[in-house]
Amino acid sequence: MPPAWGAAALWMALTACTPTLNWRELPLPPTGAHALLPCKPDRAERSVPLGGAPTDLVVMGCDAGGATFAVMAAVVPPGRAPDALLEGWQQATLSNMKAHGEVQRQPFHPAAGLPLPHAQRVVAQGDAPSGRPVYAQAAWSARSAEGGATELVHAVMYSEKPQPDVADAFFAGLKWR
């Protein structure tokens, strides 16, 4: 086993035993995506105006280890531009958290994800509704679905202090099946 795999296995074993973070893999219907969440999530469905059109969105979220974790999934019909939808979703997320300062961006392309410019992982600082500082790490991805539809996913972690190791584990668990 290569040394990097051994270190990764050790890290996963240690974090798996952390009582505050009880990681579990969950499907994100109606998409073929799966997410890794560190707590038992609440689940809701609602219609949101994504890209100006009503879109059914499945939301799962929970709080653990001083952070809030949420994953969202939707399927949009053919003819809707997925990159523009991801861009608008990013803007809405950053606006809602009153992001300020530098927003760090890097490509986020899980296997089978479309290589879209706004399929990204983002790190930003802003303000929670309470006015307290909040750090957000978020990711967006899309993939082609049957009949020309597109599956979209968004995952976000909010915390008062940066938790990069926890965020890395959270986003590494976001996969298309």
Side-chain angles (χ1 to χ4, degrees):
M1 177 166 33
W5 289 4
L10 177 61
W11 181 84
M12 289 298 280
L14 291 173
T15 58
C17 296
T18 304
T20 335
L21 302 176
N22 183 8
W23 294 99
R24 64 205 66 212
E25 183 176 321
L26 300 165
L28 297 173
T31 70
H34 282 71
L36 195 62
L37 285 164
C39 40
K40 184 177 178 184
D42 293 323
R43 185 178 189 276
E45 294 182 38
R46 60 184 169 177
S47 181
V48 298
L50 192 58
T55 304
D56 292 331
L57 187 68
V58 174
V59 180
M60 287 192 267
C62 57
D63 296 316
T68 297
F69 300 83
V71 290
M72 292 148 252
V75 177
V76 296
R80 304 218 20 220
D83 193 56
L85 294 173
L86 295 181
E87 179 183 24
W89 207 344
Q90 283 183 25
Q91 289 173 353
T93 300
L94 294 170
S95 176
N96 286 339
M97 66 171 286
K98 299 178 184 106
H100 48 77
E102 179 185 356
V103 175
Q104 301 170 17
R105 300 172 187 272
Q106 64 183 9
F108 183 75
H109 301 128
L114 295 171
L116 301 171
H118 290 93
Q120 296 178 338
R121 183 168 164 183
V122 171
V123 178
Q125 183 177 357
D127 298 314
S130 65
R132 297 183 70 160
V134 67
Y135 290 88
Q137 294 208 40
W140 292 263
S141 186
R143 85 165 179 180
S144 298
E146 290 184 31
T150 305
E151 296 179 351
L152 306 173
V153 295
H154 168 46
V156 64
M157 175 185 153
Y158 296 106
S159 57
E160 286 189 26
K161 297 178 182 178
Q163 298 182 38
D165 292 341
V166 174
D168 288 346
F170 179 48
F171 296 119
L174 191 58
K175 301 184 185 296
W176 297 105
R177 302 276 164 127

